Amino acid sequence: MSNISIAQFHKVFFEESLEGLDAMESALLALDDGGDAELVHSIFRAAHSIKGGSATFGFPDMAALTHEAESLLDQVRDGRRAIDKTIIELMLRTVDCLRGMFDRAQSGQPLANADSENLKQQLAATVGHAVPAAAAKAADKPAASSGWIIQFRPHAGMLAGGNDPLRLLRELAALGQLVVEAQLDRVPTLDALDPTECHLGWRIELTGSVKREAIAAVFEWVEDECDLSIEPLVAAAPPPAPSVEAVATPAGAGGTAGSARAAASSNDAGSVRVGIDKIDGLIDLVGELVITQAMLDQFREEFDPSRLAMLQQGLAHLARHTRSLQESVMGIRMLPIGSVFNRFPRLVRDLSQKLGKQVKLEMVGEHTELDKTVLEKIGDPLVHLVRNAIDHGLETPEKRRASGKGDTGTLRLEAFHRGGSIVVEIVDDGAGLNREAIINKALQKGLINSGDNISDEEVGELIFQPGFSTAAVTTDLSGRGVGMDVVRRNVTDLGGSVSIKSRPGHGTTFTITLPLTLAIIDGLRAAVGEECYIVPLVSIVESVQLSADAVRSVTGGGELFRFRGEYRPIVRLHQQFGCANAQQKIEDGLVIVVESDGNQVGLFVDELIGQQQAVVKSLEANYRRVEGISGATILADGSVALIIDVAGLIRLQSRRKAA
């Protein structure tokens, strides 16, 4: 039996095949937009590679489906059939179906199901192939299985003919993975044992994409000297017979593609592909560190004060190389946001067709890099915003014409750097927020009072309230009021923020601001009593020292101070977190003005200690979630400092104000 498991190559096969499916989908969408017919060749090559790999690595159902798709593409490629929207739709469904099969393969589930069998027959019918029903083919090939059960019982005299059963087993092992069970029921007692006769039998489970003929060929020379049966390995109940309704059902508008792609992505969450240039850069930096270490080693045994300048130079090198090494290591986790954006051409296409709208998708800044963890978690909020933009924001062609616009609406996704953050904007040129409908709904829900003077910014904030929806009809896309609050919570959990700007008749812009990485932040250390807190630098506007008469008390115990012409609330951190021995008088401490989502507050602290980078440790994983705190870090003296969640503190302040 083979000692090499082909399963060890599955991960690479899955990764390459999923990339191939992404390439197929992109090329199909380009064809749908009138792209070059040469794209068919690239689609064919991707399908051919997946088909070959599926057959090689023991996924016959996947190979069979891809074979039919490949046949259809071959007809297009050699000019026997013209590419049209029907074929593009069929091939897109094939991509979705294959993604689902890869997902099931990675979780050890049977690959084939009713949808895949229906699609395979539809492809075959389009090509002109006659595909027997799965049940009819059961005797010739494994339908819902990926192998065979072989009952092999040699006749007693088979050994005398020079045939070795173990040789036959070794030949079977070359075809696929074997599980062999010896049958001992014919083994006689020792005194009756004839060593020239074969008393054993075997039940053999052969897994892999193996034709029955290949197995029969192994036993070709002994078929008259054994009892042999070869039956398909039934790993699961065969799929139900295809129904006309199921065949006619198209892929869900974004649902099937999105869920299959999301599942595939989640299965890939434990690895990251790194460019060789980044690895080379790391090796170079490690080399520099080794040289610096050798320089500093000279001072370990004996320190000569006359060489102080050399020591200082060595320490400076150490600091510089350590910083560079840190940036390089963090860079390994940085991936282009294009891997998230790539899901939207298909999503926008399917949704626009479903809703009868014409949408042009523009994507800018796909090469902007973001931490892998942030990247994995930002996909779902972006999907929700894009769905909302198409469902609620962009109008139908009729309404756009009535508004003096072109038939086709524009949806733009753009990613770019701003300061130490990544900004992702989702911009549409649709109708914008319906201010009147939002205010009426807010009045019904008691979120605002009649007569309140609500600014446009405050109207925009209302849609982030849980359960808030102005939709009169609930659809499978929206209307239940579930989503925008989850979007904000997910973005906030990443240390980011989301804001909205809208102009009636001109469209809406959602702006998501995200940290470059979640692992290390630049922060300002602030002392509060006997505690030390880290305030993220990206949130700090300014620090000011106030006099006692610069603070105004308001009803409910709140405090305000005037900053750049506006009154801002003061959050005393020692009161918020119960710190002992902290400064009480405003003139004895400092106020750090911080901002999130366009809102500013002043954090009252005792004093500023200095700036430092903080390696973020999860407080929730080691203790519990604390509102207003995003994590913790270890200081140079081994003590723990808590990292301020600026957005969370501002939300707390807002709730107190509302109460």
Side-chain angles (χ1 to χ4, degrees):
M1 266 176 278
S2 173
N3 293 323
I4 299 176
S5 172
I6 204 167
Q8 64 183 298
F9 304 110
H10 283 176
K11 187 171 186 297
V12 175
F13 167 60
F14 293 152
E15 289 176 353
E16 292 182 351
S17 297
L18 289 170
E19 287 178 2
L21 289 176
D22 288 345
M24 284 179 67
E25 186 178 73
S26 297
L28 286 164
L29 293 173
L31 276 175
D32 196 32
D33 286 338
D36 193 336
E38 289 296 314
L39 290 167
V40 174
H41 295 285
S42 65
I43 300 170
F44 180 88
R45 286 193 295 273
H48 184 72
S49 298
I50 293 171
K51 171 191 163 185
S54 303
T56 302
F57 293 109
F59 303 108
D61 296 313
M62 198 181 295
L65 176 64
T66 318
H67 172 74
E68 299 300 341
E70 185 189 58
S71 299
L72 180 56
L73 289 167
D74 194 38
Q75 291 185 353
V76 175
R77 196 172 60 150
D78 63 15
R80 283 177 287 164
R81 182 186 295 273
I83 191 75
D84 56 24
K85 288 192 175 295
T86 302
I87 293 178
I88 290 173
E89 184 63 38
L90 199 55
M91 294 307 303
L92 285 171
R93 286 178 55 201
T94 303
V95 169
D96 293 342
C97 186
L98 286 171
R99 282 196 181 115
M101 294 178 98
F102 276 111
D103 183 37
R104 293 192 289 277
Q106 292 178 78
S107 57
Q109 301 175 42
L111 271 62
N113 58 20
D115 289 340
S116 66
E117 289 299 312
N118 290 334
L119 180 59
K120 185 171 69 177
Q121 293 194 35
Q122 194 172 358
L123 284 166
T126 306
V127 172
H129 290 168
V131 178
K137 297 196 69 179
D140 297 326
K141 61 175 289 186
S145 68
S146 57
W148 302 87
I149 296 293
I150 304 164
Q151 298 286 352
F152 172 43
R153 187 176 286 269
H155 294 166
M158 195 183 84
L159 295 178
N163 291 303
D164 181 0
L166 294 181
R167 178 185 59 80
L168 302 176
L169 294 179
R170 283 194 292 271
E171 290 186 18
L172 286 176
L175 299 177
Q177 288 186 300
L178 290 187
V179 176
V180 181
E181 178 184 340
Q183 296 171 333
L184 309 176
D185 55 298
R186 287 195 318 182
V187 177
T189 58
L190 186 60
D191 56 344
L193 186 68
D194 182 350
T196 65
E197 293 185 357
C198 183
H199 303 287
L200 296 173
W202 289 274
R203 179 187 181 278
I204 306 162
E205 187 175 306
L206 172 60
T207 306
S209 176
V210 184
K211 292 184 177 179
R212 181 190 180 94
E213 293 79 6
I215 301 172
V218 172
F219 296 96
E220 185 176 14
W221 296 99
V222 298
E223 57 184 6
D224 295 331
E225 299 177 82
C226 68
D227 296 325
L228 180 69
S229 71
I230 305 171
E231 300 294 336
L233 171 63
V234 180
S243 65
V244 174
E245 182 180 1
V247 172
T249 302
T256 302
S259 58
R261 190 194 290 267
S265 298
S266 65
N267 281 319
D268 191 38
S271 64
V272 59
R273 190 172 293 185
V274 180
I276 191 67
D277 58 325
K278 291 185 176 179
I279 300 294
D280 289 343
L282 269 180
I283 292 173
D284 289 344
L285 283 171
V286 170
E288 295 292 335
L289 274 176
V290 170
I291 294 170
T292 304
Q293 182 196 22
M295 180 190 299
L296 295 175
D297 265 354
Q298 301 175 51
F299 302 95
R300 187 164 53 182
E301 299 297 333
E302 183 180 359
F303 177 68
D304 181 355
S306 66
R307 301 171 67 191
L308 179 60
M310 185 177 178
L311 174 61
Q312 291 174 326
Q313 183 184 20
L315 290 173
H317 286 177
L318 179 64
R320 185 171 67 251
H321 295 323
T322 302
R323 176 78 184 205
S324 298
L325 185 63
Q326 172 196 322
E327 291 175 352
S328 293
V329 171
M330 298 306 298
I332 287 178
R333 293 182 55 85
M334 304 299 279
L335 297 173
I337 200 170
S339 59
V340 174
F341 280 7
N342 285 343
R343 71 179 65 178
F344 293 114
R346 177 70 186 283
L347 179 67
V348 170
R349 173 189 179 275
D350 291 351
L351 280 178
S352 57
Q353 288 185 355
K354 181 173 184 175
L355 298 172
K357 298 180 179 180
Q358 298 178 16
V359 183
K360 177 185 177 185
L361 175 65
E362 297 177 349
M363 295 191 294
V364 182
E366 300 101 311
H367 298 294
T368 306
E369 291 189 329
L370 203 55
D371 185 277
K372 183 174 188 291
T373 304
V374 180
L375 208 60
E376 288 168 352
K377 295 181 179 178
I378 198 60
D380 289 340
L382 285 179
V383 167
H384 191 87
L385 292 175
V386 168
R387 284 163 60 109
N388 264 11
I390 298 175
D391 193 19
H392 295 306
L394 294 170
E395 313 94 325
T396 60
E398 296 78 17
K399 289 185 178 178
R400 290 184 66 86
R401 281 196 295 272
S403 304
K405 300 178 180 177
D407 289 0
T408 303
T410 300
L411 177 64
R412 190 177 83 247
L413 297 177
E414 183 172 3
F416 54 90
H417 288 269
R418 180 190 290 165
S421 304
I422 296 292
V423 177
V424 183
E425 288 188 345
I426 302 95
V427 185
D428 70 70
D429 67 345
L433 294 181
N434 187 333
R435 178 185 170 91
E436 184 179 353
I438 292 173
I439 289 178
N440 288 338
K441 178 60 73 172
L443 287 170
Q444 289 177 22
K445 295 176 74 69
L447 297 174
I448 59 175
N449 298 316
S450 179
D452 283 352
N453 186 18
I454 306 296
S455 67
D456 289 343
E457 289 74 18
E458 290 170 323
V459 169
E461 285 296 309
L462 287 171
I463 70 170
F464 292 103
Q465 294 295 320
F468 193 92
S469 174
T470 59
V473 179
T474 298
T475 69
D476 57 340
L477 291 179
S478 59
R480 299 185 187 279
V482 178
M484 292 307 297
D485 60 319
V486 179
V487 168
R488 168 161 281 179
R489 188 170 66 243
N490 287 355
V491 172
T492 303
D493 287 346
L494 290 172
S497 62
V498 57
S499 60
I500 179 175
K501 288 184 179 177
S502 183
R503 289 179 60 201
H506 291 81
T508 304
T509 298
F510 284 94
T511 303
I512 295 177
T513 304
L514 296 164
L516 277 172
T517 177
L518 301 181
I520 298 178
I521 64 165
D522 288 311
L524 194 63
R525 291 171 61 194
V528 182
E530 298 170 358
E531 307 294 334
C532 179
Y533 290 88
I534 304 291
V535 183
L537 261 182
V538 69
S539 303
I540 296 176
V541 179
E542 190 176 331
S543 60
V544 295
Q545 189 158 29
L546 301 177
S547 58
D549 58 0
V551 177
R552 299 284 183 270
S553 297
V554 296
T555 306
E559 294 176 304
L560 299 174
F561 71 105
R562 195 171 180 83
F563 179 72
R564 296 180 183 174
E566 300 283 344
Y567 280 101
R568 306 298 184 199
I570 294 176
V571 177
R572 292 179 179 257
L573 290 188
H574 69 272
Q575 291 179 349
Q576 179 66 44
F577 300 119
C579 303
N581 303 321
Q583 297 290 352
Q584 302 295 319
K585 297 180 179 178
I586 200 78
E587 62 271 23
D588 292 337
L590 285 171
V591 171
I592 307 173
V593 183
V594 293
E595 178 177 338
S596 176
D597 295 335
N599 300 309
Q600 295 180 347
V601 300
L603 305 181
F604 178 63
V605 301
D606 292 1
E607 61 175 337
L608 300 181
I609 301 174
Q611 182 178 336
Q612 80 161 65
Q613 286 197 316
V615 179
V616 181
K617 306 290 185 184
S618 170
L619 193 64
E620 197 169 353
N622 297 291
Y623 176 54
R624 64 179 174 80
R625 183 179 181 85
V626 177
E627 203 162 16
I629 297 295
S630 62
T633 190
I634 309 296
L635 301 177
D637 61 0
S639 61
V640 175
L642 299 177
I643 301 171
I644 297 295
D645 173 13
V646 173
L649 274 183
I650 290 177
R651 282 198 301 275
L652 274 173
Q653 181 65 26
S654 299
R655 287 207 293 270
R656 289 199 188 99
K657 179 183 174 183

